[in-house]
Amino acid sequence: MSRDLILSSIRSSLGRRAGQPVPARPPVLLKIPEVPLARRIGQFCEALGKLNGKSLVAKNLEEARDYVAGLVQGRRAIASNAPFLGECGITSIPGVETGFTGRMALRERCATYDIGITSASFALAETGTLVMLSSAEEPRLVSLLPPVHIAVVPTSKLLTGLDELLTLLPDPAGHTSGMAFITGPSRTADIEQFLVRGVHGPGEIHVVLV
Amino acid sequence: MSILPAGEIRKTLLDDRLQTAIYGSTGRLVGKRRESIDDPVAAEFEAWRTHANAIKRHTIENLDYYLEELERNIVKRGGKVVWCKDAEEAAEFVRRLCREKGVRRIVKSKSMTTEEVELNHEVEKDNIDVVETDLGEYILQLAKEKPYHIVAPALHKTRYDVADIFTKTLGVERETVIEKQTMIARRVLREKFLTADLGITGANFLVAGSGAVVVVENEGNARLSSSAPRIQIAFAGMEKLIPRAQDLAVFLKILGRSATGQPLTVYTSFLSGPRWPGEIDGPEEFYLVLLDNGRTKVLQDPAKRQALYCIRCGACLNHCPVYRKIGGHNYPWVYSGPIGAILSPQFHGVTRDPWLPHASSLCGACGEVCPVKIEIPKILLELRRDIAEAKEREGEDRVQQLAFKAWAFVMTHPKLWSLALTGAPYTMPEAENGWIRSVPGFMKIGPLAGWLSQRDLPAPAPKSFRRLWKERQEGRQ
Ligand code: SF4
């Protein structure tokens, strides 16, 4: 079997025995700066803005809801099953459908609707990133198939950056089968390095920090 | 033994449009990288490189341990690991799986490892529709060409080329506006994503402690390939390992910046097996193909095995005066540029393409920019020594002759030679007090070798005579 063949030839090249322990690993390099919330919010909006993503800081749930309602107006949207969206009242905005649990129904809506609305497990201030842990509440396709993605995230989920995230979740695989970082709208520069947004994923992204 | 593709190289050098495309694109990537690492948030970039190098060294030196750990963790979460010693085995596995599962359509996101296997060609034998979904790769698949660059595969194509390709193969009306071309591809490929049974992705990193595959991208096609179809296969060279998810903090920061000057690419997917019970989407089955295909051979040499640290960022290509002139298709294998020049001979044996390690000016730029600090120039020199030894073993001069041809070729092609010189002020760090102690490598073989080994050369002027003369001539017209 190739497995054993490969492993034994690796060991003979490296001069190692099966089951031999490894020497101490280089230490993990994680640095978490002290950044007050207001500054984190500013960083997040600035970083996302540079990538042509839009952001809004909402003072309360109603403001978040109104902003999203304004975006949805006249269009069809699918919302994920994240409880926070319900708390904000976003799932009762006219034009927003939610509560899908069947694979085909979800897919069909995501593929044809104009807007996907999600929350996010975390957001990273330094890079303007959304961290999505996929689950029954937060399926993958809602933030992926529709041309517009709106994420509504409480500021309590706003971390400084990647280092803080990996400190909180040293092993993401223990929490989800799939984690995705989303940093701005989908883009490509494959033809003459000319930037085009929305090639496969959403070309427009709005993040509402509540 | 393949010989120097002199005719092809000459064609590339004389093609002004192509020269502009390669030079312009790589130049822009160089600029974007510079900008992103000059940003104060990347003040510790050098420390990150050193750290990344230490992690890679540790992992490669203990590769068997981490491979077994990775396998245990993937299996624990319901995924399967398929160990393949070569391209045939990998292709055979995919074909068999397709037969067993009744797969009719495959969507693929960018993966250099599947290029090694020529996977598309293999599965097409069974009448399976296999579609590249990265825009650049899709264009090349339609044009029946190989990637030109490991990060920007269609770097050599202009919008007019794309217009021709789309009209001819998709039967759409001729369209030369890049946004609209992109939307044509989105439309065609969207349909494929929604009807594919199997998604194949590459892997930028394999995380041993998590049993996870990490894929970075900007378009969303890798996310779609791993989310929409019911089966997912990730393809990875087995050197892609890192021990822990926390190590990603350093690797993601250096990869995006070195490749495209992005602090973080648009999407990073951390995939750790089939979907969990209750989840509505995501793959039902998850396979990781671990490919050897010569990697264990590279491991045998303690000095040169560092070539396996490569994270395929493409920075060494963009900074290489030779790549920037001869482009990607003149290299004999899927990996081009400096990294290709050190990987190909190690995978295929030094006598297959003995000209390759000599087709370098040894200006040192590749080693200076490599985010994991692979000593590319040093490996090139070692490979040259190996070639010389092979020559002795074979008792004949053929190997050296081929290498000499590469040297002679550069010396007798004013365009290439002038490039090596004009590139020099930016890329030759060794100039001290106006003298170069270490000369471009192609001068170290051939008739001048002995002479030059004893002497220093004057450093090139900031503007070479050639360039001054050219400007003067142009000014007169
Ligand atoms: S050798 Fe280094 S610079 Fe070149 S592609 Fe690999 S990681 Fe990047």
Side-chain angles (χ1 to χ4, degrees):
Chain A
M1 204 180 133
S2 291
R3 176 188 188 278
D4 300 336
L5 199 85
I6 292 171
L7 280 171
S8 77
S9 92
I10 293 176
R11 288 193 184 109
S12 81
S13 295
L14 297 175
R16 287 177 45 84
R17 285 172 284 104
Q20 186 179 333
V22 296
R25 262 197 296 278
V28 168
L29 203 85
L30 294 173
K31 280 193 186 163
I32 307 173
E34 285 281 335
V35 188
L37 180 64
R39 176 91 192 89
R40 266 179 281 153
I41 293 176
Q43 279 180 340
F44 182 90
C45 298
E46 193 193 321
L48 188 61
K50 269 196 204 151
L51 301 167
N52 218 33
K54 312 239 168 19
S55 51
L56 175 93
V57 186
K59 281 189 277 307
N60 49 43
L61 302 180
E62 290 73 53
E63 200 181 323
R65 181 190 181 279
D66 292 347
Y67 179 73
V68 176
L71 287 172
V72 171
Q73 215 163 47
R75 296 192 281 183
R76 288 186 303 176
I78 174 165
S80 74
N81 305 327
F84 186 64
L85 298 179
E87 286 166 35
C88 292
I90 283 169
T91 43
S92 46
I93 293 171
V96 175
E97 290 178 36
T98 189
F100 294 98
T101 51
R103 175 182 163 93
M104 284 327 281
L106 178 91
R107 245 170 116 94
E108 200 266 319
R109 301 306 189 291
C110 289
T112 51
Y113 285 14
D114 311 296
I115 303 175
I117 308 174
T118 67
S119 188
S121 303
F122 299 100
L124 310 180
E126 274 167 18
T127 44
T129 302
L130 296 167
V131 180
M132 314 292 297
L133 302 193
S134 102
S135 66
E137 289 173 359
E138 205 67 272
R140 303 158 211 234
L141 295 180
V142 184
S143 60
L144 191 51
L145 285 178
V148 179
H149 175 204
I150 305 174
V152 188
V153 190
T155 50
S156 59
K157 302 281 180 74
L158 184 57
L159 311 179
T160 50
L162 191 55
D163 290 22
E164 188 173 0
L165 175 79
L166 291 169
T167 308
L168 281 174
L169 295 185
D171 180 13
H175 305 266
T176 177
S177 64
M179 172 174 75
F181 299 162
I182 303 175
T183 309
S186 151
R187 64 186 227 183
T188 183
D190 276 354
I191 307 174
E192 297 184 20
Q193 297 207 335
F194 183 90
L195 183 71
V196 183
R197 296 194 177 83
V199 51
H200 289 300
E204 202 182 311
I205 182 163
H206 301 259
V207 178
V208 186
L209 293 171
V210 192
Chain B
M1 199 186 289
S2 90
I3 54 165
L4 176 78
E8 288 305 312
I9 293 179
R10 190 172 292 118
K11 240 195 263 164
T12 310
L13 293 177
L14 294 176
D15 185 337
D16 284 340
R17 192 197 57 72
L18 189 55
Q19 286 293 313
T20 314
I22 311 171
Y23 222 66
S25 297
T26 50
R28 276 189 293 275
L29 288 169
V30 166
K32 285 187 199 158
R33 171 187 175 276
R34 186 75 255 162
E35 213 177 290
S36 75
I37 65 177
D38 284 346
D39 189 306
V41 297
E44 289 178 54
F45 193 76
E46 278 311 305
W48 296 340
R49 284 178 72 205
T50 307
H51 192 68
N53 174 277
I55 295 173
K56 276 290 180 185
R57 177 185 314 260
H58 170 85
T59 317
I60 295 293
E61 294 297 326
N62 300 285
L63 191 61
D64 56 319
Y65 176 92
Y66 288 110
L67 283 169
E68 286 194 304
E69 185 184 18
L70 174 81
E71 181 184 45
R72 270 197 309 279
N73 285 319
I74 287 184
V75 170
K76 192 171 81 187
R77 302 211 160 82
K80 293 202 176 76
V81 178
V82 186
W83 303 68
C84 299
K85 68 173 185 312
D86 54 23
E88 286 78 59
E89 253 185 41
E92 186 41 45
F93 161 72
V94 178
R95 290 178 69 183
R96 202 177 56 235
L97 188 77
C98 289
R99 275 197 300 275
E100 277 168 20
K101 308 282 174 183
V103 170
R104 304 302 327 150
R105 173 167 288 157
I106 305 175
V107 281
K108 261 187 79 204
S109 64
K110 194 170 166 332
S111 153
M112 292 304 291
T113 315
T114 58
E115 296 287 339
E116 277 181 45
V117 175
E118 300 191 24
L119 188 67
N120 298 2
H121 177 71
E122 290 298 318
V123 293
E124 275 166 358
K125 289 179 186 161
D126 301 327
N127 283 324
I128 291 169
D129 183 29
V130 52
V131 194
E132 294 290 347
T133 58
D134 170 87
L135 178 61
E137 293 275 357
Y138 182 55
I139 292 167
L140 294 187
Q141 186 184 24
L142 295 178
K144 298 194 165 48
E145 282 184 34
K146 297 223 160 296
Y148 209 76
H149 185 284
I150 53 182
V151 172
L155 170 143
H156 60 305
K157 294 283 183 220
T158 64
R159 68 191 76 187
Y160 305 103
D161 298 328
V162 175
D164 292 341
I165 295 166
F166 279 6
T167 325
K168 206 170 109 202
T169 56
L170 300 177
V172 292
E173 252 176 65
R174 192 176 158 82
E175 179 56 71
T176 54
V177 177
I178 296 177
E179 283 102 335
K180 293 192 177 154
Q181 293 176 331
T182 306
M183 290 310 134
I184 293 174
R186 176 182 164 110
R187 207 177 52 236
V188 177
L189 293 173
R190 182 50 74 87
E191 179 60 30
K192 306 273 187 188
F193 280 122
L194 293 173
T195 50
D197 317 287
L198 168 64
I200 297 182
T201 67
N204 294 88
F205 304 100
L206 300 172
V207 184
S210 303
V213 170
V214 178
V215 186
V216 306
E217 49 142 358
N218 282 317
E219 297 185 359
N221 61 314
R223 265 187 90 199
L224 275 165
S225 303
S226 62
S227 303
R230 64 192 161 87
I231 310 171
Q232 190 205 341
I233 304 180
F235 252 79
M238 55 188 203
E239 79 283 16
K240 290 286 166 69
L241 274 165
I242 55 173
R244 296 288 169 269
Q246 291 189 325
D247 297 321
L248 285 170
V250 160
F251 282 99
L252 293 178
K253 283 178 210 157
I254 56 174
L255 176 56
R257 289 184 170 89
S258 302
T260 49
Q262 293 171 277
L264 207 53
T265 52
V266 176
Y267 300 116
T268 301
S269 301
F270 184 97
L271 307 163
S272 46
R275 68 161 102 147
W276 287 7
E279 270 196 82
I280 307 163
D281 55 15
E284 289 157 19
E285 295 176 42
F286 178 92
Y287 300 87
L288 170 65
V289 170
L290 271 180
L291 187 65
D292 177 349
N293 205 29
R295 286 161 174 84
T296 45
K297 207 161 70 196
V298 181
L299 272 183
Q300 283 166 8
D301 185 326
K304 295 202 282 290
R305 64 171 72 122
Q306 52 169 314
L308 296 177
Y309 303 172
C310 175
I311 56 173
R312 308 278 189 265
C313 72
C316 58
L317 281 65
N318 304 332
H319 288 77
C320 175
V322 176
Y323 176 88
R324 296 185 73 186
K325 234 24 208 175
I326 71 171
H329 283 170
N330 289 312
Y331 290 84
W333 198 30
V334 292
Y335 304 107
S336 55
I339 183 62
I342 61 172
L343 283 181
S344 308
Q346 296 199 73
F347 275 70
H348 301 132
V350 288
T351 53
R352 193 174 113 170
D353 302 292
W355 63 273
L356 199 51
H358 290 279
S360 150
S361 67
L362 285 191
C363 68
C366 48
E368 302 243 314
V369 296
C370 177
V372 288
K373 290 194 164 179
I374 301 172
E375 300 162 294
I376 303 173
K378 194 176 130 199
I379 299 178
L380 284 168
L381 283 176
E382 297 221 359
L383 287 166
R384 291 180 185 184
R385 195 201 53 210
D386 295 350
I387 291 168
E389 281 172 14
K391 176 195 111 184
E392 258 167 41
R393 267 200 314 278
E394 290 178 19
E396 194 253 16
D397 224 297
R398 177 152 163 73
V399 180
Q400 184 71 20
Q401 266 177 22
L402 287 169
F404 178 77
K405 261 191 157 168
W407 177 85
F409 183 78
V410 173
M411 295 302 280
T412 53
H413 282 73
K415 275 200 165 179
L416 197 55
W417 174 233
S418 67
L419 177 271
L421 285 185
T422 51
Y426 312 105
T427 51
M428 274 187 178
E430 302 95 335
E432 304 165 14
N433 308 325
W435 291 89
I436 290 174
R437 317 246 167 223
S438 155
V439 293
F442 49 77
M443 298 163 85
K444 285 184 178 149
I445 56 162
L448 293 179
W451 187 79
L452 280 168
S453 68
Q454 303 302 316
R455 287 162 186 83
D456 295 339
L457 273 185
K463 269 193 183 183
S464 66
F465 174 74
R466 292 183 70 91
R467 196 187 284 178
L468 283 172
W469 179 252
K470 196 160 170 259
E471 283 172 7
R472 206 184 136 102
Q473 297 296 98
E474 279 164 0
R476 280 196 181 151
Q477 284 162 9

